[in-house]
Structures are given as C-alpha cells and as structure tokens.
Amino acid sequence: MNIHITGYGLITSIGLNTEENVASLRSLRTGIAKGRLDNTKAYNVGEIHLTNAELKEQFKLQTDGSRTALLGMAAAKQAFEGHVLSDQIRTGLISGTSVGGMDVSEIEYKNYLNESNHNPDNYKHHSSGTSSEQIAQELGISDFVNTISTACSSAANAIMMGARMIKSGTLDRVVVGGTDSLTSFTISGFKSLMIFDDQWCRPFDDTRKGLNLGEGAGFIVLESDKSLEKTGKKPLARLTGWSNASDAFHQTASSPDGHGARLSMNEALRISELQPGDIDYINAHGTATPNNDLSESQAFQGIFGTAIPPFSSTKAYTGHTLAASGGIEAVFAILAIRNGYLYPNLNFKTPIAETGLTPQLDFEEGKNIQHVLSNSFGFGGNNSTIIISAV
Amino acid sequence: MYYIHSIASISHQDSFNVSNVCSKLEKLGQESEVIAPNYKEYVPPASLRRLSPVLRMGLTASIECQNNTEKEFDAISVGTALGCLRDTEKFLVTFHTATSDFLSPTAFIQSTHNTIGGQISLGLKNHAYNMTHTQNNVSFEVALMDALMCIDEGKKQVLVGSADEQIPFLELMQPNLIPDNYPLTSGASFFVISPEASSASVCVQAVAVRFNPTDKTGEIEQFLANQQLTLNDIELALYADQLPVETNEKTETLNFLEYSGLHYSASAFAMHIAHDSLKHSDKRYALIINDMCSDKLGITLLSKQ
C-alpha cells in the first residue's frame, strides 16, 4: 500500500508559507538573528516576527490557544487547504510538540512566584495534548487526535505514527507534523546545557560550537490509496520509509558512533525497500552541536560508506525548531523532490577532522531527486528517520 | 490476539508484585500516598537520587516487567498526560529565580515527556522503537493503540504503560481545570503484550478513542458491535466517575477513580484491575470506559480466552 502525500504547509523564521521559505532557501537568507523580544534578545534565534494576535489575523484562526498551537494551526491549515472533510474519509491529526503551551504557562508561573495576578485559568493551554486538540479543532478534524512528545524527534515520529495508522487501516487520511514556539523555558534549558552558539550556528563544520533555537511548525497530509479515490487529490510525493530506534547511551548525548542513528536509518531503508545508493539527498538532523554532528556523520559513514549522497542541515536557516523540525524538514524534502532542489548547509568551511565530510554547499535546482532521507534525533536517545520518495 | 503477560503497577494501592490486585483494593482517602516498592532493588542509588517520582515509578515498573519476561522488549510505548511535572516546575523556579548565568540542567533534561521512555531504554539498554504519547485523559489508550499496532506489524514483546505524577501545585488548578471530587494521585502501570499465549489467558481485545462524542452510549455499543458483542456480554465495567451506559444487573461495575485516584492516565491502572479480575474469576469480558475528560472517550475491551 502507498502512503500518498497530498498536502504540506509550514511556517518558519525564513517564511510564513512555502513560497517565502523557498525564496529564502534559494537566496541563502537565514532566519537566525538577535531576538527581538525580552526573553530572546540576548540570543541568536530563528524567531517568527508575528505576535499571536497577528498570527490569528494573518491565518484567520478561529481557535484560541498557546503560541505553539497557533503556529501549528498556521502550518496545518496551509497543509490541509483544498481538503474537504467527509464522513466517508476517517481523518486524524497527529502533532509533535515538546513545549505545548509552556509559552503561556511560564508567564503565569512567574506571576505565581511573584504573588501577583496569578490566574490559574491560563494553564488550560498547558497540556501538549491540548495544543493538538486545538489544531484539530481549527481544521474541523475529530476522528482521531494524538500528540507525540519525544523532544526533537516528535514531528518525525508523528509522521511515522500517521503512516502506520493508514497502513493498519485505522485512518484514511491524517495531518501529521509538529510545532514548537520559542519559550523562556527552552531557551534557559539549552543555555543550562551550554550548547548554544553565541554566533550563527555552523552545522557539520569543525569549528561548530552549538545550536541556535528557532520556532515554527510543519505539517503534511498523508492519504491511503482508498482515500485518494474519494478525495481525488493528486499525490505530490510518497512516504516510503520510517523508523524509530533508541540509542540507549545517554539522556541527552548521542553515542559517538551514532548507534541509534544507524539502527533508525537502516530500518527506514528496509521498510522503504531501498538501498543506501538509492538516496539522492539527506536532510540531516545537523543541530551544529559538537556531539550530534560528529555522531551523525559517523552514522552516515556506517550506512553509506564512502558514497554518501549530498547532505545538509537546514538548521542554519531556521534554527533548531525542536519538536517541529521533522515536520518542517519533511516539507523541505517534498519540495526537494518536486523541484529538484538541493539545499546548502550554510556556514560550512572546514570538515570535521574525524570524518572529513563536506555537505552540500550551494543551492541547486533541477536535479533528479527520487528519494530523500530525513533524520530527527531527540533527547532520551530517540532517533527517527523518514524517507520521502517521488510519485 | 494481544495477550497480557506481565503487569507492574505502582500506585496508591498495594499493587506492586501482587498476584491479584483486586483482593487488596481499598477506596482511597484524601491523604493517601504512593505505596512504593524498594526502588534501590531496581535502580542504582546514584541514579535514583536524580529521578523524580514519575521517573522512579515508570522505570521500576518497566524493569519489573522485563524481569518477568524472557526476551528483550522489541517496542516500548509510553503514555503520559502531563509528563514530568516535578522537574518541569523545578526548572521553572530555577530560571525564574536565577541570579547567575549558570543553571543546573538536570531538571530541564528530565522535564521532557519522553524522559520516562528514555530512562526505560537506558535502564534496560534497549535499542527498540520507543514512543511517548500524550493526549490528556486518553494518553494511555493511544499508547495502547500504538502497542497493538506494533504487534500487528510483527513485534513479539511490547512494553506499554503510562505514568503520571501529582505535584502540590496541581491543587491550585482545582476545581476549575481539574475536578476535585477525587484525591490527586500518582501512578504508573506497565504491561507486556505479546501475540503468543503461552501462560497468559487475558487479552486486550480492542481499544479505541473518540473525540467530542455526541452519543457516548452509541459509540460504546458500536465499539462492542465491531467485536460481535453487546453490553449484555460485559461482566465487568470499569468507569470514571459516571457510567455513561446502562448495564444489566449481572454486570459488575466499578468506578476506578475511587481506587486509582485522579491522574489523567489512571485508566492504565483500571486495565490492571480488569486483567486481574478476569484472570481470577469466571468472567470473560471486561470493559474500561474512560471519559475522565468529558470530551474524550477511551474504550478498552479485555477478554479471557
């Protein structure tokens, strides 16, 4: 059975829609800059310069929610545009998020600590599950709602869960992806881990020091063969491979040889019935932390040997959007296949000494791209891979 | 078939390592506490010190399940409604009150929902599929749906469970966001599910979730009809506060919140009760109806083969 992709949408610091994202990717324009808000101004972040009220207005959102939920609605609405709900097509929404409504809760909790104007009612947006229910409500989807929360692999896992539910026959059509807003909680958290680069991040470069955070959301629509007959939608690409495996090495760090990453990539290739040589482009996890990029590079060498296909991290454009990254990068993968794009790995100068790998350096188009492999790795050693293929 | 092979629950009941949890159940008072096993028998003291209650409970229950299972788990699916609340609150306090640039990262690291699943993979050195689902009161049910799908895909030993923890701050949410007619509690229940019967006799026959159901009775009847059953076949019905269907006089009914207390993944503990009840009686079918949040309905059917 085929898992067809019939819609995609995203919002990132390099664009509020597909066209803007592509324009930025093409012109090597990053979204990472000094933050403009009180809690972001000390950092280089991939911030979306719309307030919550502006988000609601721009995307005509009817449902209230945290910023995480609103970003999710903006992307999911774009993905679901042109789709029609029907009793005959069981439609679900599966979203990945790591912070849920923390952007609201952390402000309210500060009021609590300051013993001023504490309004517990505002915690109604806190639960990650609630943010997905709000996105589903905005789209009118109620057959199934699920939230995956596995840190930075959440969206990739949501995509995988959706594919499996279609394959099992539980759903006909499902909107899958992820969303995360910038919060003081995550900014302080990654600061405490000391894995920020105070400069613009440099994925896969020998001098890389750490990541820049970003915010955003990315969703795609998956449909079964049967659903396609009813919706009449034209497939844009196919989801052919997916996998999740545990590194079981450390709560936050990756194993030096990328054991979990290898397991995940291998299994995704097996499910897609592809050989490593069939992959035309890899969208790497590539956070630009010293640990991730070395570990992921070693895993590439383990899987692809010396014939590593063009690969790049797009996180020097968007920042690391945490739970949303797998959704945003799935949209980039679809665009790569549809338009023959290869995305440059911005800021790369010197290969990592141990591995010597050079990523894709220029924006290219018109390439023949049949299969894209996309990695997302999260805390807890949670490693996920999806493979998107041409129709 | 999805056979339940091993169960480990840590709850406010005497539920850990007991052969029949039903024989020990007592209605909870307002001041009940978690009846904890000796965690040191499961987790090295150096690790244990860093672990919040929800992590201790989830990890220990999982290790106990693995101890009772010959093979390694080939998939792990965890449900949690609110995740690692203690570490979340701890880190909120840390960064809101920080006076220097140096913050301890431990609480942040352990605040993500999948710390429970991650600690299980680390503790068991398990490299398999590892998923964390969070969907308010149906968090356990969606984790269970995933686990059954894993079995359909060919997995043989799937660990599925849920864990949630109570923190005093939650009491501030009562009664507007969280009902206050039951004590807030913590709990972790984990199960090993396998397609092979061997010594097991009780199965998860089916599980479903419904969002914004307008006719709960109709949804439950339809769910049972899909299994060629009616409400008359159900000999034990477990429910959350109010039973949304009418059952006949032969059906034993049990409000599981009186025993689990309130946390939004408590239906996992209800499944433990249902399993033990079927195993130790002539009953054939037990139904768990979970509408703890009125707009989300979880339905789980257990049967004895």
Side-chain angles (χ1 to χ4, degrees):
Chain A
M1 179 204 277
N2 288 306
I3 311 289
H4 306 280
I5 299 172
T6 59
Y8 54 83
L10 78 171
I11 178 167
T12 72
S13 58
I14 59 168
L16 306 180
N17 54 42
T18 303
E19 292 70 29
E20 289 184 18
N21 272 273
V22 169
S24 296
L25 288 163
R26 188 192 298 277
S27 56
L28 317 188
R29 189 166 62 231
T30 183
I32 295 168
K34 278 272 174 274
R36 296 187 192 172
L37 303 174
D38 281 347
N39 63 341
T40 58
K41 64 187 177 196
Y43 306 91
N44 281 311
V45 287
E47 200 163 58
I48 295 168
H49 300 301
L50 288 180
T51 64
N52 289 0
E54 287 165 342
L55 275 171
K56 280 189 193 172
E57 197 191 323
Q58 175 124 8
F59 293 96
K60 301 186 173 57
L61 306 179
Q62 308 297 315
T63 314
D64 198 17
S66 62
R67 183 168 179 83
T68 300
L70 296 177
L71 290 172
M73 290 175 211
K77 260 186 111 162
Q78 294 180 49
F80 205 56
E81 201 183 313
H83 280 269
V84 181
L85 290 164
S86 150
D87 290 346
Q88 304 301 310
I89 306 165
R90 289 163 304 167
T91 305
L93 180 127
I94 307 174
S95 175
T97 183
S98 70
V99 297
M102 181 56 87
D103 56 287
V104 181
S105 301
E106 66 187 13
I107 293 168
E108 209 49 59
Y109 196 84
K110 192 173 186 181
N111 293 338
Y112 166 72
L113 289 175
N114 294 339
E115 297 178 18
S116 75
N117 301 321
H118 184 229
N119 178 9
D121 190 51
N122 283 331
Y123 296 110
K124 66 178 182 245
H125 297 302
H126 178 78
S127 148
S128 294
T130 298
S131 66
S132 308
E133 289 165 21
Q134 290 165 335
I135 299 167
Q137 187 187 332
E138 179 69 21
L139 268 52
I141 290 172
S142 61
D143 290 337
F144 182 74
V145 184
N146 184 14
T147 309
I148 305 283
S149 194
T150 54
C152 308
S153 54
S154 300
N157 286 333
I159 292 169
M160 168 172 178
M161 181 74 183
R164 293 168 60 227
M165 289 191 76
I166 286 181
K167 220 175 162 193
S168 74
T170 316
L171 290 174
D172 304 312
R173 176 175 60 180
V174 60
V175 183
V176 288
T179 177
D180 258 342
S181 62
L182 277 168
T183 64
S184 301
F185 192 91
T186 33
I187 291 170
S188 305
F190 283 92
K191 181 173 148 188
S192 77
L193 284 164
M194 296 190 281
I195 49 175
F196 278 143
D197 195 330
D198 53 3
Q199 307 293 311
W200 187 6
C201 70
R202 300 179 294 283
F204 294 105
D205 190 273
D206 201 46
T207 65
R208 71 201 180 284
K209 272 181 59 192
L211 55 83
N212 306 136
L213 284 178
E215 63 181 346
F219 284 86
I220 64 178
V221 183
L222 307 179
E223 288 191 56
S224 66
D225 295 327
K226 188 181 117 195
S227 173
L228 217 56
E229 284 171 25
K230 290 176 183 163
T231 61
K233 296 297 274 190
K234 188 168 149 271
L236 306 169
R238 291 177 301 138
L239 185 68
T240 52
W242 49 81
S243 174
N244 170 269
S246 281
D247 203 28
F249 173 74
H250 185 270
Q251 184 61 35
T252 54
S254 303
S255 58
D257 64 340
H259 183 69
R262 288 180 205 217
L263 288 174
S264 172
M265 284 191 277
N266 256 332
E267 176 66 5
L269 284 165
R270 190 190 68 78
I271 288 185
S272 66
E273 297 177 3
L274 294 171
Q275 299 300 315
D278 296 326
I279 300 298
D280 300 305
Y281 166 64
I282 301 171
N283 188 293
H285 186 53
T287 55
T289 62
N291 174 242
N292 176 81
D293 292 8
L294 175 59
S295 170
E296 191 173 7
S297 296
Q298 306 262 27
F300 288 157
Q301 292 181 323
I303 300 287
F304 297 95
T306 54
I308 300 174
F311 73 95
S312 61
S313 163
T314 44
K315 288 187 173 69
Y317 279 104
T318 59
H320 187 2
T321 56
L322 305 179
S325 60
I328 290 165
E329 289 159 26
V331 176
F332 290 165
I334 296 166
L335 293 169
I337 285 168
R338 304 274 306 157
N339 304 297
Y341 294 154
L342 287 176
Y343 307 116
N345 188 104
L346 301 179
N347 282 344
F348 177 88
K349 285 198 185 74
T350 315
I352 296 172
E354 292 92 328
T355 49
L357 301 182
T358 298
Q360 172 71 21
L361 296 178
D362 301 313
F363 184 89
E364 292 187 61
E365 54 193 305
K367 309 287 282 188
N368 178 17
I369 309 224
Q370 294 294 315
H371 306 285
V372 176
L373 181 148
S374 179
N375 280 335
S376 297
F377 307 146
F379 278 5
N382 198 279
N383 295 351
S384 299
T385 302
I386 60 168
I387 297 174
I388 293 178
S389 301
V391 173
Chain B
M1 277 300 183
Y2 315 105
Y3 289 92
I4 301 172
H5 278 264
S6 176
I7 306 180
S9 284
I10 300 170
S11 70
H12 290 231
Q13 300 285 342
D14 182 5
S15 59
F16 191 75
N17 250 334
V18 296
S19 62
N20 181 1
V21 75
C22 302
S23 65
K24 307 254 186 173
L25 288 180
E26 287 180 21
K27 286 191 183 175
L28 297 181
Q30 279 303 321
E31 301 300 324
S32 72
E33 287 183 357
V34 171
I35 301 177
N38 185 2
Y39 291 122
K40 286 180 195 153
E41 291 175 14
Y42 293 85
V43 185
S47 311
L48 196 58
R49 267 196 303 277
R50 287 195 303 271
L51 299 184
S52 64
V54 73
L55 296 175
R56 292 173 177 209
M57 295 167 77
L59 179 57
T60 302
S62 301
I63 293 171
E64 177 63 16
C65 280
Q66 183 68 84
N67 289 347
N68 296 326
T69 307
E70 268 182 40
K71 292 180 195 144
E72 270 183 38
F73 303 132
D74 47 14
I76 295 170
S77 177
V78 179
T80 180
L82 290 170
C84 303
L85 283 177
R86 201 188 73 164
D87 283 313
T88 300
E89 186 179 27
K90 203 170 166 183
F91 195 67
L92 277 167
V93 173
T94 299
F95 78 80
H96 275 315
T97 58
T99 50
S100 87
D101 260 3
F102 294 96
L103 308 173
S104 164
T106 309
F108 174 67
I109 290 168
Q110 297 188 162
S111 70
T112 57
H113 284 25
N114 72 315
T115 314
I116 306 164
Q119 284 292 329
I120 294 169
S121 75
L122 275 171
L124 299 177
K125 296 269 167 272
N126 183 296
H127 292 281
Y129 175 84
N130 191 301
M131 204 48 55
T132 299
H133 299 269
T134 178
Q135 204 57 52
N136 292 316
N137 67 307
V138 292
S139 297
F140 174 65
E141 281 81 353
V142 286
L144 184 59
M145 286 176 75
D146 188 356
L148 302 192
M149 230 166 27
C150 287
I151 299 279
D152 292 342
E153 291 162 358
K155 301 284 199 284
K156 304 292 184 202
Q157 307 282 347
V158 178
L159 178 73
V160 59
S162 72
D164 268 294
E165 68 185 343
Q166 188 269 346
I167 55 170
F169 185 78
L170 283 180
E171 288 162 15
L172 295 179
M173 307 302 118
Q174 293 178 320
N176 292 332
L177 296 181
I178 299 176
D180 61 358
N181 38 353
Y182 298 93
L184 292 173
T185 52
S186 305
S189 290
F190 280 78
F191 307 81
V192 181
I193 313 266
S194 167
E196 285 142 19
S198 50
S199 62
S201 60
V202 179
C203 295
V204 180
Q205 185 161 331
V207 57
V209 292
R210 297 284 180 266
F211 293 81
N212 309 314
T214 48
D215 171 17
K216 287 180 189 173
T217 304
E219 293 285 0
I220 291 163
E221 286 174 342
Q222 184 58 51
F223 169 87
L224 290 172
N226 292 345
Q227 303 298 320
Q228 285 79 49
L229 296 173
T230 70
L231 278 168
N232 288 328
D233 296 307
I234 302 303
E235 292 148 294
L236 171 64
L238 294 102
Y239 62 95
D241 195 47
Q242 301 278 329
L243 187 60
V245 289
E246 281 189 33
T247 53
N248 67 34
E249 67 280 1
K250 285 185 302 186
T251 308
E252 184 189 335
T253 60
L254 183 145
N255 174 6
F256 65 82
L257 291 181
E258 291 181 335
Y259 302 94
S260 64
L262 188 72
H263 53 276
Y264 283 127
S265 58
S267 56
F269 186 63
M271 190 162 111
H272 187 171
I273 297 173
H275 170 275
D276 285 9
S277 175
L278 292 190
K279 187 176 173 184
H280 298 282
S281 73
D282 298 331
K283 298 189 187 83
R284 175 118 197 255
Y285 292 108
L287 189 67
I288 302 154
I289 302 167
N290 166 16
D291 58 349
M292 241 183 284
C293 303
S294 63
D295 62 342
K296 286 174 284 291
L297 173 66
I299 322 169
T300 308
L301 176 68
L302 298 196
S303 62
K304 187 153 77 175
Q305 299 302 307

